[in-house]
Amino acid sequence: MKPSRFPARLAVVAVALASAGSILLYAQRPQRPPAPPKGPWMNTSLSPDERADLVLKEMTLDEKIALLHGVGMPTDDPVTPENAASNRGVGYAVGVPRLGIPGIDMSDAAYGVRSSQANGRYATALPANVAAAAGWDPDAAYEYGALIGRELRAQGYNMTLGGGTNLTREPRNGRTFEYLGEDPILAGTLVAKLIEGTQSAHVIGDIKHYAFNDQENGRNSGNVSIDKRAGHESDLLAFEIGVTKGHPAAVMCSYNRVNGDFACENEWLLKDVLKKDWQFPGFVVSDWGGTHSTEKASAAGLDEEQPGKFFYSDKFKAAVEAGRISQAELDEHIHRILRSMFAVGVVDYPRQRAVVDPFAGFETSRKIEESGIVLLKNNKDILPIESGKVKSIAVIGAHSDVGMISGGGSAQVDPIGGSAILPPGQGATHWQQQIWFPSSPLKAIQQRAPGAKVSFDPGVDPVAAAAAAKGADVVVMFAYQWESEGMDLPSLALPNYKNGDKDVDQNAIIEAVTKANPHTVVVLETGSPVTMPWVDAPQAIVEAWYSGSDGANALGNVLFGSVNPSGKLPNTFPKSDADLPHPTISKPQAVHFDGPVSPETWAKGLPPFPINYDEGLKVGYKWYDAEKKPVLFPFGYGLSYTTYGYSDLDVKTGDTVTVTFKLANTGKREGAEIAEIYAELPASAQEPPKRLVGFTKVKLGPKEKKTVTVEIDRKYLSIWDEAKNAWSLVPGEYTFLVGGSSDKLPEKKTVSLQ
Ligand code: BGC
């Protein structure tokens, strides 16, 4: 399938930068001197808004216009005078050097800095965002963001394009791995921390793709229909929390239309909700090629066009000169951009390129993966594997001799030394190429079981794989589902893949292996949930997601028990596609333009096609609960090598609602339990059966018991009242449910709330 992306960039990005020429160019390019501190706006005791106004007064019309747009893809050759000073990431806005305002240098950085092989710097790959979400750990989310911020800065960037927060409404979305699950409170809480972490490194943080860009099929043309209440209580709530708690300097508006208008010229989304209701003081940047007009977009609240300058350069200037866009409107855009630069510190702390040591990030990456791995099944405690006792282990499938897979698209991080399944030296990655990180599960297992015979079979032929499995004490069988921006999964089934001219049916291989040897641990490397027709056959199932730079060691530590698994699913695993709100994913007639496209044609956009989110409020577990559909593994579910007990729930009401309970580790091993708090709203609220309203991750030694207190924001108990255009708490009886999984909530207490 051709990628439906902004025309100019397409697949050439990584290829162009891979050349030795561009590396040389980097080596020879002189370092930019730090911006000269000039003018009263350099007085750091003034507020970002005051400083921005002082700079604004000095700026010419041309300087203002230059800050409103990109300069083409800086990754594309040749280097132009406009992008010469850029770091050659994916976006750049020239600054105002005479006033000490640096250019804004942008790189994608969903789970690490993108395309860094080309400039010879490399980056740490963290586990996919969905894996971090499975850790349910705000502190870890901060570390995740902070590491990305530090590496961006060291590579010469001062703005990230990370912060993906679209809810998993459609789990076949090819970007599910880049997002933070199906619950708005979980996703919003985590992205807020991630943004805080990134901005702590004086790098402009962003949150994307605002909003309802919940599938990739037809993302440039889809017109999402959703009512305002459902919108506010689902996807928008995740963004609201991210924006109001994480204070990102930038919001990226998405490609799709929402209720008729493109998101980047949608007054409801940008002006009414984001800027007015949430009081967002930063700037809105279009997704790449997501700008479709000048006056309309400007009036609706789009502050910056990226990566080009079709609408926000000459056309914008002409509109200002002709009075079609007021000076005040222009100044508001500029003020927002400048105040964000001051607020984050990109003016006061100019970037200094440094040599990134990507190995330094391995420990953080490994720990986040360790806390995000989800143990889905563990019959007869086959896990952890006892290294002193096990005599033979058969490792099978999914290139597990050499590596672990990663997610593709603009999120792709270049693996150090190149993809594990390619000849050495091919470090730069290509658009929608499956990339395997050189982190070998086979080696990690061998190291942890030095006394055992550890064999490997590629898992491409059911008969050979069954023979390899037969007789081993333990089989560790790997299976994967690869996904990427620019495409959706055809279904949640584990995909078949090609090996030479052979079609490998992963489900058939798992069936053959588990039949030959039931002492099998299936390890999944996926971004989205998968269906498992074989679920009863293996003794254990482990979800390892896309596991980052040091994934194999994290997995090894969990399999052999030096780490006790504590992750819980941020997405429901349904039994089949037929159980989803939309059994088939909506697809447009035309998913992309054929051939090169003029900006005028692009501006008009592809004809809209309907994406009807008529499940409304019922996203993820709320859908399965409401529709009474049994699932394979529920939201919030995950096992541990120890057990936990909940008791003594108490709920106190006041300005906030305080939930207190006792949590005990009833087993023999130290562990960390994610305690989940749900609420059932009064019937008159007409809500799905229950919603997550709070959570906390608690570390407990063997037999240790702690009193746990969680404050619940009343907004999280409220509904969106369309008539009042505000959150509103419906007076009545609220039942609080507490436990370790959305389907297992042993503690229950009902209180009255007004
Ligand atoms: C993606 C964004 C990304 C941008 C720049 C777009 O196609 O949707 O997530 O940040 O490209 O690469």
Side-chain angles (χ1 to χ4, degrees):
M1 188 215 283
K2 274 195 207 165
S4 58
R5 293 171 63 78
F6 186 63
R9 56 193 311 215
L10 299 178
V12 292
V13 173
V15 189
L17 281 180
S19 68
S22 53
I23 293 170
L24 220 90
L25 189 136
Y26 264 89
Q28 290 167 354
R29 184 180 291 166
Q31 295 283 300
R32 270 168 286 168
K38 280 186 191 166
W41 53 87
M42 292 310 293
N43 177 354
T44 53
S45 67
L46 299 176
S47 71
D49 289 303
E50 288 167 329
R51 296 175 73 183
D53 283 340
L54 287 167
V55 182
L56 233 169
K57 275 198 219 140
E58 304 292 323
M59 287 171 73
T60 65
L61 177 60
D62 284 336
E63 284 169 340
K64 290 179 185 173
I65 298 291
L67 208 50
L68 287 184
H69 60 77
V71 295
M73 288 290 280
T75 41
D76 290 343
D77 281 329
V79 177
T80 64
E82 276 181 311
N83 73 26
S86 90
N87 206 39
R88 307 203 77 204
V90 290
Y92 186 65
V94 297
V96 197
R98 77 177 178 92
L99 302 177
I101 302 300
I104 307 181
D105 232 324
M106 310 170 193
S107 172
D108 280 303
Y111 61 89
V113 184
R114 179 187 183 187
S115 297
S116 38
Q117 185 271 350
N119 60 21
R121 288 164 200 269
Y122 281 116
T124 306
L126 289 148
N129 308 71
V130 72
W136 296 54
D137 184 346
D139 295 338
Y142 181 94
E143 289 307 321
Y144 193 106
L147 186 143
I148 289 177
R150 286 196 300 274
E151 292 193 3
L152 278 167
R153 206 176 140 75
Q155 294 207 17
Y157 295 106
N158 58 11
M159 177 163 171
T160 179
L161 303 173
T165 311
N166 297 82
L167 277 203
T168 307
R169 231 173 221 286
E170 170 47 80
R172 289 160 299 197
N173 178 359
R175 301 186 87 169
T176 303
F177 74 97
E178 277 188 64
Y179 300 138
L180 298 162
E182 68 191 25
D183 183 83
I185 292 174
L186 177 63
T189 307
L190 296 179
V191 80
K193 283 291 179 185
L194 184 145
I195 292 162
E196 250 184 56
T198 302
Q199 295 195 157
S200 72
H202 305 302
V203 166
I204 294 176
D206 95 317
I207 185 167
K208 70 185 186 185
H209 309 84
Y210 184 70
F212 306 104
N213 180 185
D214 296 347
Q215 69 172 59
E216 288 294 280
N217 271 312
R219 64 178 176 169
N220 295 113
S221 52
N223 178 27
V224 169
S225 307
I226 187 150
D227 68 73
K228 289 193 173 164
R229 172 170 172 189
H232 272 282
E233 290 187 33
S234 58
D235 305 46
L236 292 188
L237 178 56
F239 280 95
E240 179 174 357
I241 299 169
V243 166
T244 55
K245 300 205 165 164
H247 307 292
V251 170
M252 184 191 286
C253 49
S254 56
Y255 284 132
N256 51 292
R257 297 169 168 98
V258 179
N259 294 334
D261 283 327
F262 281 112
C264 290
E265 53 187 41
N266 191 307
E267 199 171 318
W268 172 57
L269 284 178
L270 303 184
K271 208 169 166 181
D272 301 345
V273 175
L274 177 68
K275 293 186 172 176
K276 192 161 150 272
D277 294 351
W278 303 345
Q279 296 280 298
F280 171 65
F283 65 102
V284 177
V285 57
S286 71
D287 198 347
W288 266 224
T291 310
H292 292 274
S293 60
T294 306
E295 282 96 322
K296 182 175 177 185
S298 172
L302 176 70
D303 300 299
E304 179 157 327
E305 174 185 9
Q306 281 291 343
K309 51 176 177 176
F310 188 67
F311 296 104
Y312 267 44
S313 177
D314 296 348
K315 285 184 197 298
F316 204 108
K317 186 175 172 188
V320 173
E321 284 170 338
R324 294 192 306 274
I325 292 179
S326 70
Q327 188 65 46
E329 191 171 302
L330 166 65
D331 284 354
E332 187 188 329
H333 297 311
I334 302 299
H335 176 93
R336 286 172 171 276
I337 297 169
L338 290 173
R339 71 89 56 203
S340 303
M341 295 173 87
F342 285 116
V344 174
V346 304
V347 181
D348 300 329
Y349 303 88
R351 292 157 298 160
Q352 280 174 342
R353 284 200 200 152
V355 176
V356 177
D357 174 5
F359 295 103
F362 271 43
E363 192 184 346
T364 304
S365 181
R366 194 194 69 239
K367 284 193 170 148
I368 292 175
E369 171 66 4
E370 285 169 350
S371 72
I373 288 175
V374 183
L375 180 60
L376 294 173
K377 181 176 176 185
N378 192 18
N379 277 8
K380 296 195 194 137
D381 292 340
I382 184 175
L383 292 176
I385 303 169
E386 290 187 55
S387 59
K389 287 199 186 150
V390 67
K391 296 272 179 311
S392 55
I393 304 176
V395 178
I396 300 177
H399 302 295
S400 53
D401 53 337
V402 289
M404 296 186 82
I405 202 159
S406 59
S410 62
Q412 184 71 59
V413 174
D414 293 345
I416 301 167
S419 174
I421 62 166
L422 292 175
Q426 302 196 19
T429 53
H430 305 273
W431 183 250
Q432 289 192 341
Q433 182 190 19
Q434 289 188 14
I435 299 298
W436 296 75
F437 271 73
S439 172
S440 155
L442 178 67
K443 281 194 195 138
I445 290 169
Q446 278 165 337
Q447 278 163 9
R448 286 161 182 80
K453 179 176 157 277
V454 183
S455 65
F456 174 73
D457 178 89
V460 293
D461 174 79
V463 178
K470 212 165 180 73
D473 285 355
V474 182
V475 179
V476 187
M477 160 91 229
F478 289 80
Y480 75 95
Q481 165 215 58
W482 173 77
E483 60 188 20
S484 167
E485 176 184 341
M487 52 176 265
D488 291 320
L489 301 170
S491 101
L492 294 178
L494 275 176
N496 289 9
Y497 65 92
K498 283 264 176 229
N499 183 269
D501 51 7
K502 248 189 153 156
D503 203 24
V504 181
D505 177 342
Q506 297 195 86
N507 282 332
I509 308 261
I510 295 176
E511 264 154 30
V513 163
T514 48
K515 204 162 161 210
N517 191 339
H519 304 301
T520 296
V521 178
V522 173
V523 177
L524 297 167
E525 297 173 50
T526 80
S528 286
V530 284
T531 50
M532 305 180 201
W534 38 261
V535 67
D536 294 328
Q539 254 179 271
I541 305 172
V542 174
E543 175 57 82
W545 315 107
Y546 304 149
S547 58
S549 291
D550 201 21
N553 279 320
L555 178 68
N557 289 344
V558 167
L559 293 180
F560 286 83
S562 54
V563 167
N564 189 354
S566 61
K568 303 224 170 150
L569 294 179
N571 286 319
T572 308
F573 279 44
K575 281 182 183 282
S576 79
D577 283 33
D579 291 338
L580 294 171
H582 304 279
T584 32
I585 194 162
S586 36
K587 277 192 192 158
Q589 293 283 319
V591 287
H592 55 80
F593 289 104
D594 281 324
V597 178
S598 71
E600 287 80 1
T601 312
W602 180 261
K604 277 190 227 126
L606 285 157
F609 87 96
I611 303 178
N612 197 352
Y613 288 143
D614 50 11
E615 73 283 356
L617 297 169
K618 295 184 271 180
V619 180
Y621 62 93
K622 294 170 186 164
W623 165 260
Y624 303 101
D625 277 1
E627 302 294 316
K628 299 197 171 41
K629 284 182 193 288
V631 300
L632 193 57
F633 295 109
F635 174 79
Y637 169 87
L639 302 172
S640 157
Y641 298 150
T642 186
T643 45
Y644 301 100
Y646 289 80
S647 62
D648 302 293
L649 173 62
D650 192 23
V651 180
K652 291 215 164 37
T653 59
D655 278 351
T656 59
V657 173
T658 308
V659 174
T660 308
F661 54 93
K662 293 214 166 85
L663 178 57
N665 179 344
T666 48
K668 295 195 192 89
R669 296 180 56 114
E670 179 191 69
E673 165 73 338
I674 297 160
E676 302 164 33
I677 301 154
Y678 295 80
E680 292 170 1
L681 272 60
S684 59
Q686 298 191 320
E687 283 287 306
K690 65 173 182 292
R691 58 163 79 158
L692 182 79
V693 293
F695 61 91
T696 182
K697 194 162 190 170
V698 186
K699 280 204 180 115
L700 290 161
K703 304 288 173 209
E704 192 183 359
K705 193 174 196 171
K706 280 186 183 161
T707 300
V708 180
T709 301
V710 180
E711 302 285 342
I712 312 290
D713 190 330
R714 286 171 77 96
K715 186 188 285 175
Y716 298 173
L717 297 163
S718 301
I719 65 164
W720 182 261
D721 186 328
E722 277 201 42
K724 291 190 198 142
N725 193 42
W727 289 103
S728 159
L729 191 118
V730 178
E733 304 283 287
Y734 285 72
T735 299
F736 287 83
L737 304 156
V738 178
S741 171
S742 68
D743 70 332
K744 204 164 163 242
L745 299 162
E747 288 294 289
K748 187 170 173 170
K749 178 151 182 152
T750 302
V751 296
S752 176
L753 285 177
Q754 304 300 322

